[in-house]
Amino acid sequence: MTTSTDAALTPAQVEARVADHKAKGNDLFQRGDHKAALRHYDAAVAFAPGEAALYSNRSNIRLTMGHAQPAVDDAERVIALRPEWARGHSRLGMALYKQQPRVALAAMARARELDGAAAVTPEAWQLAQDYVQVQQRAAAALANGGGAAAALAIDECHVPAWAALAKAGGGPARQRAHTAAECAVRALEACAKRAGDSHDAAVVELWPLIPE
């Protein structure tokens, strides 16, 4: 939040304030203090609302905190400010891959088109494709075989996806692999309850069951 005193700052002073908040935010994020990092990036954005990189970094912070929609909003702002910058598209893909996997995959594909395959990590690219496959198979299974078949389709897709992610890193990634089985059980229960619903509605209900 800027004040009347801030409004009197010279462009050089504003730039210095932004750089200070950005540096502090990055340091706090690296140390795991995401709330404090977010406060600094909020301040930086208030000083420089037209700087795409600030929204990009804030999108990442918000997504790390589990705030998916604000992360999406920031990623979309990045794209609006710098449509040819791959980072905005990759941020959008990471923020959307659970809720809208097809849109996420398209965003990641655009990032790769703009800046090569390195614009998106191999793990994220594979995971986005896995989620599209999950959505397709779950929808088909619900339409043709009911809730239990949809749960099996989800189980078959997610367990290898989380396992692959676990091999690529430690910490939360490994925890995801361990919770995949629990996720499948809960998905089975949800599908069984919703077997009479339309497959689109049932698939939407499954996304919150994916372990964070």
Side-chain angles (χ1 to χ4, degrees):
M1 180 177 179
T2 57
T3 66
S4 57
T5 302
D6 293 330
L9 295 175
T10 66
Q13 289 173 322
V14 169
E15 184 177 352
R17 292 284 182 92
V18 170
D20 181 59
H21 282 299
K22 184 176 179 181
K24 289 177 178 175
N26 289 344
D27 179 62
L28 288 162
F29 180 77
Q30 291 298 324
R31 290 193 279 131
D33 192 346
H34 301 145
K35 288 184 179 180
L38 181 59
R39 287 195 295 270
H40 279 287
Y41 265 92
D42 286 343
V45 166
F47 278 112
E51 189 172 328
L54 297 177
Y55 293 98
S56 173
N57 289 353
R58 192 171 71 173
S59 177
N60 186 45
I61 294 170
R62 285 173 157 175
L63 187 60
T64 301
M65 295 174 69
H67 304 162
Q69 188 54 54
V72 169
D73 294 341
D74 275 346
E76 289 179 337
R77 182 63 176 159
V78 176
I79 294 170
L81 289 168
R82 292 180 61 182
E84 299 303 308
W85 189 32
R87 183 63 59 82
H89 299 279
S90 64
R91 293 290 193 214
L92 183 61
M94 288 305 299
L96 279 177
Y97 75 86
K98 291 181 183 179
Q99 292 82 7
Q100 300 181 52
R102 288 187 179 85
V103 177
L105 191 61
M108 289 184 183
R110 178 57 176 156
R112 287 161 61 97
E113 178 183 326
L114 289 168
D115 198 29
V120 179
T121 67
E123 294 80 16
W125 179 244
Q126 184 60 53
L127 195 57
Q129 294 180 79
D130 288 340
Y131 265 81
V132 170
Q133 185 183 28
V134 167
Q135 189 179 59
Q136 293 171 338
R137 293 179 62 180
L142 278 166
N144 300 319
L152 289 174
I154 291 168
D155 188 16
E156 290 172 7
C157 288
H158 277 92
V159 170
W162 293 130
L165 205 60
K167 291 178 182 178
R174 291 189 181 279
Q175 184 60 36
R176 287 170 180 160
H178 290 308
T179 56
E182 180 186 354
C183 170
V185 171
R186 288 188 291 162
L188 175 59
E189 293 173 347
C191 284
K193 291 178 182 178
R194 302 187 64 87
D197 293 348
S198 70
H199 65 268
D200 288 335
V203 169
V204 169
E205 288 294 320
L206 293 174
W207 294 122
L209 300 175
I210 306 304
E212 296 293 342

